[in-house]
Amino acid sequence: QVQLVESGGGLVQAGGSLRLSCAASERTFSSYPVGWFRQAPGKEREFVAGISWRDVSRHYADPVKGRATISRDDAKNTVYLQMNSLKPEDTAVYYCAAPERKYRIMVMTTTSGYDYWGQGTQVTVSS
């Protein structure tokens, strides 16, 4: 089982930036594709960004294209989500997730594609 811990959230003004981190206990975390999701009160959990094994591919949801960058540091078993030009509508709890299957070069964009989830980190953007 893969244990995931998100960090880096906080309160920022509109137009500000945050870098979220997803740290894994699994030593072979570099072999997994990883996704970032977010969930606002009263809304469904939605895909934000994903990165494949070996960083072969990346995918971003339309609302964050041009403002978000996903990356990974395999030596640290960590995946990052850099978010710039934050908007109030970005306010949500952000989660990282990984599937059971390793070595995938495609990014899954639905919650059903993932099996392991972190506890989430709160991002609040004030207007």
Side-chain angles (χ1 to χ4, degrees):
Q1 185 175 5
V2 179
Q3 303 292 326
L4 304 173
V5 179
E6 302 94 336
S7 62
L11 175 63
V12 298
Q13 282 190 316
S17 299
L18 285 173
R19 189 178 75 160
L20 308 182
S21 298
C22 175
S25 61
E26 173 60 54
R27 293 183 178 181
T28 61
F29 190 51
S30 62
S31 301
Y32 293 85
V34 177
W36 279 98
F37 291 77
R38 67 186 182 186
Q39 187 167 24
K43 297 183 179 180
E44 295 184 353
R45 190 168 299 186
E46 65 177 2
F47 175 79
V48 178
I51 187 168
S52 72
W53 166 55
R54 292 187 175 181
D55 196 7
V56 174
S57 61
R58 300 182 183 186
H59 187 73
Y60 299 93
D62 288 339
V64 302
K65 286 183 178 178
R67 301 189 296 118
T69 301
I70 189 170
S71 62
R72 65 192 310 161
D73 186 337
D74 291 337
K76 296 182 178 180
N77 291 325
T78 301
V79 172
Y80 304 97
L81 180 66
Q82 176 72 40
M83 298 193 68
N84 303 321
S85 301
L86 286 163
K87 305 174 181 179
E89 49 263 47
D90 293 319
T91 296
V93 176
Y94 284 70
Y95 302 88
C96 65
E100 288 186 352
R101 183 179 174 184
K102 300 179 180 179
Y103 313 119
R104 302 175 75 170
I105 60 174
M106 297 183 67
V107 174
M108 296 77 71
T109 60
T110 61
T111 57
S112 62
Y114 297 88
D115 302 286
Y116 306 111
W117 296 82
Q119 295 298 310
T121 184
Q122 177 72 49
V123 171
T124 302
V125 184
S126 62
S127 60

